[in-house]
Amino acid sequence: MTTTPDDTAVLSGVLDQWKAAVDAHQPERVASLFTEDAIFQGLHPYGVGRQKIAEYYDSQPLGMKAACRVLQTRRPAAGVVLGYLHVEFSFTDRPPLEVKLSVLVTRAAEGWSISHYQVSRL
């Protein structure tokens, strides 16, 4: 399995929306990009579901921006794309934070959504 343009396009479609909502500090909009039962591990204790995701992003500082680059993708099953990304979060009052992000996006009738999100500081 390797990274393909189609898989990268799927991830970019979802993560471009995620970035726009993060950059605009719109926690409910960010959460709407996840499945109802999404597993979410940011840099704080993990949570499950859109409410926990919205709470996490609501706690992020105003002015935080995200920039991401897809490093690898895999398609473990039909309607599922696994992505490994480099993400840089920038802030207005401190140096940027670079992390690695693994996401699993799944396709449903309404489109692609994030069902698993895990950040790692390396």
Side-chain angles (χ1 to χ4, degrees), residues 25-47:
H25 194 76
Q26 297 176 325
E28 296 295 330
R29 186 171 145 210
V30 174
S32 74
L33 300 170
F34 289 77
T35 60
E36 289 285 345
D37 62 348
I39 299 170
F40 182 88
Q41 176 66 63
L43 293 176
H44 304 293
Y46 89 99

Side-chain angles (χ1 to χ4, degrees), residues 65-121:
K65 308 277 186 221
C68 57
R69 178 171 40 96
V70 176
L71 301 173
Q72 289 286 313
T73 65
R74 301 289 187 270
R75 194 171 286 244
V80 178
V81 176
L82 173 66
Y84 183 64
L85 303 99
H86 174 86
V87 180
E88 180 180 281
F89 291 101
S90 60
F91 305 90
T92 59
D93 61 346
R94 60 183 158 176
L97 172 65
E98 294 186 22
V99 299
K100 298 300 188 238
L101 171 64
S102 291
V103 293
L104 189 68
V105 296
T106 53
R107 185 175 52 214
E110 61 276 359
W112 291 93
S113 298
I114 304 167
S115 59
H116 183 269
Y117 175 108
Q118 183 167 357
V119 167
S120 175
R121 283 181 159 172

